Amino acid sequence: MKARLPDGMGKGPGNMQQMIREAQKMQEEMERTQEELDSREYEVSAGGGVCKIKISGTKEIKEISLDPMIVDPDDIETLQDIIVAGINEAIKLVETTNQEALNKITGGLKLY
């Protein structure tokens, strides 16, 4: 029994060169996109806006701003919870944005 190759496969070295060029082009586009994503800065609010977090595209926390009304020495746990929630939301935003941008290039293939 002969194996059948999918369309576009097995048609000689010219087709292989074309596939290699397309893969290189995709890689270059992914690298450019990743550089652009890394240079972005995002801002997320938590706790109804009493905590604002700025995060870079490389997931580095740049700034945390707190509304003074949330600072209660008798309730540190609430402040800690709000900060943790804000940081987690900021990281999730960066990861989701990056994945969506790279999926546009790869068509959903997990190449990164």
Side-chain angles (χ1 to χ4, degrees), residues 73-85:
D74 297 325
D75 189 11
I76 296 297
E77 291 81 17
T78 298
L79 177 59
Q80 292 169 334
D81 290 345
I82 290 172
I83 292 171
V84 168

Side-chain angles (χ1 to χ4, degrees), residues 44-78:
V44 174
S45 294
V50 296
C51 176
K52 293 183 179 155
I53 297 166
K54 287 185 182 177
I55 186 170
S56 72
T58 58
K59 301 178 200 167
E60 180 182 347
I61 302 299
K62 296 293 196 173
E63 181 180 326
I64 297 177
S65 302
L66 301 173
D67 186 318
M69 71 170 251
I70 193 63
V71 182
D72 180 354
D74 297 325
D75 189 11
I76 296 297
E77 291 81 17
T78 298

